[in-house]
């Protein structure tokens, strides 16, 4: 039996219309909030280039059609710059943040040159080029205003952690986080206030989320999130990583699968009840 009465959130990016996979994510969050909890909506619009207001409006329309409601106004990540800056400062004060001036292709070339070309759960592992920059060069480039991301010094961060980092996963049981495999993850991007990892952790805490429900494609990310919670002194929610909805070829539904958008299904005459039934068990 799933546990109920939680503060949960549905956290879509407004980069397309919602499809059946999103409907499952929203309904899982909604169901787990029944019995005295609260369902929240969070708009993850940090990717300015791809986020559109019309998609944001579509998200609200689709969720209301499904019969969900949530407190207004919803949290929007594009308005959370101060909270992210504060978290970055906390990490920097612990000596855990460094600027990275590398472009994607520089990283790929550097990795290709190394014998093992190490990979982590998110693809190529950052080889630490900018961690090794002499302080003078680093300062000079910052003063020049060179574009840079901010990265977590993973080795230094792990040294600060005493004991195992655990989380309770509703479907997989107690998990022990092993974030080392991710290497020096990005905390803030050249063109965004915060990376997905940082923003999600800060926002879940700030919204008082007690159960994070999301697709199992994000299971691995929880290793990093658990570490960031520890470094930032944030409460640790429980997690439920639910199944993903796939098409006939077994591929995960994506925003480009417009035929499966809730808007399209509605036009074809589907009722919210039919959507629910198609997604059982929720
Ligand atoms: N914004 C993410 C997505 O649309 C979800 C993030 C999360 O639930 O942690 O896939």
């Amino acid at each position: 039996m799933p546990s109920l009465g939680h503060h949960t959130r549905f956290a879509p990016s407004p980069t397309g219309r919602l499809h059946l996979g999103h409907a499952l994510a929203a309904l899982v969050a909604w169901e787990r909030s029944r019995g005295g909890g609260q369902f929240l909506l969070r708009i993850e619009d940090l990717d300015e280039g791809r986020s559109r207001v019309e998609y944001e409006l579509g998200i609200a329309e689709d969720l209301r059609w499904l019969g969900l409601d949530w407190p207004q106004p919803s949290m929007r990540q594009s308005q959370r710059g101060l909270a992210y800056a504060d978290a970055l400062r906390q990490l920097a004060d612990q000596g855990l943040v460094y600027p990275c001036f590398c472009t994607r292709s520089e990283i790929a070339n550097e990795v290709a040159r190394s014998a093992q070309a190490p990979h982590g759960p998110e693809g190529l592992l950052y080889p630490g080029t900018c961690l090794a920059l002499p302080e003078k060069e680093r300062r000079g480039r910052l003063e020049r205003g060179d574009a840079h991301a901010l990265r977590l010094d993973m080795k230094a961060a792990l040294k600060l952690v005493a004991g195992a980092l655990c989380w309770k996963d509703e479907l997989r049981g107690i998990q022990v986080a092993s974030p080392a495999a991710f290497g020096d993850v990005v905390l803030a991007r050249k063109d965004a206030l915060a990376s997905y990892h940082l923003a999600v952790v800060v926002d879940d805490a700030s919204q008082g989320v007690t159960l994070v429900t999301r697709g199992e494609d994000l299971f691995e990310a929880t290793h990093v999130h658990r570490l960031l919670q520890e470094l930032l002194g944030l409460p640790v929610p429980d997690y439920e990583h639910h199944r993903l909805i796939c098409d006939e070829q077994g591929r995960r539904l994506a925003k480009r699968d417009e035929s499966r958008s809730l808007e399209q299904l509605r036009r074809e005459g589907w009722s919210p009840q039919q959507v629910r039934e198609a997604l059982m068990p929720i």
Side-chain angles (χ1 to χ4, degrees), residues 6 13 18-19 21 36 72 78 113 115 138 154 157-159 186 212 230 234 243 280:
H6 279 287
S13 303
L18 299 185
H19 54 57
Q72 304 286 343
S78 56
R113 269 200 298 275
R138 181 179 292 158
M154 181 61 80
L158 291 172
K159 278 197 200 130
V186 171
V212 172
E230 194 70 10
L234 300 175
R243 73 189 198 280
M280 290 307 246

Side-chain angles (χ1 to χ4, degrees), residues 9-15 22 25 42-45 77 196 200-201 204 212-215 217-218 221 225 239 252 255:
R9 52 38 167 210
F10 174 53
S13 303
T15 54
H22 297 109
R42 181 167 77 227
I43 301 295
E44 302 216 321
D45 56 351
Q77 290 192 322
Y196 160 68
V200 128
V201 159
D204 283 337
V212 172
T213 58
R214 59 185 176 202
D217 54 326
L218 290 169
H225 299 177
Y239 287 83
R252 197 182 131 202
K255 296 234 164 86

Side-chain angles (χ1 to χ4, degrees), residues 162-181:
L165 295 173
C166 299
W167 80 83
K168 181 177 162 217
D169 208 283
E170 291 275 327
L171 301 179
R172 303 201 199 187
I174 301 293
Q175 301 291 312
V176 179
S178 41

Side-chain angles (χ1 to χ4, degrees), residues 169-226:
D169 208 283
E170 291 275 327
L171 301 179
R172 303 201 199 187
I174 301 293
Q175 301 291 312
V176 179
S178 41
F182 285 77
D184 293 355
V185 287
V186 171
L187 297 170
R189 304 194 165 278
K190 291 175 184 169
D191 52 359
L193 307 165
S195 67
Y196 160 68
H197 295 310
L198 184 73
V200 128
V201 159
V202 169
D203 291 344
D204 283 337
S206 153
Q207 290 190 293
V209 171
T210 59
L211 175 70
V212 172
T213 58
R214 59 185 176 202
E216 59 189 12
D217 54 326
L218 290 169
F219 176 83
E220 294 297 334
T222 308
H223 291 267
V224 175
H225 299 177
R226 189 58 197 86

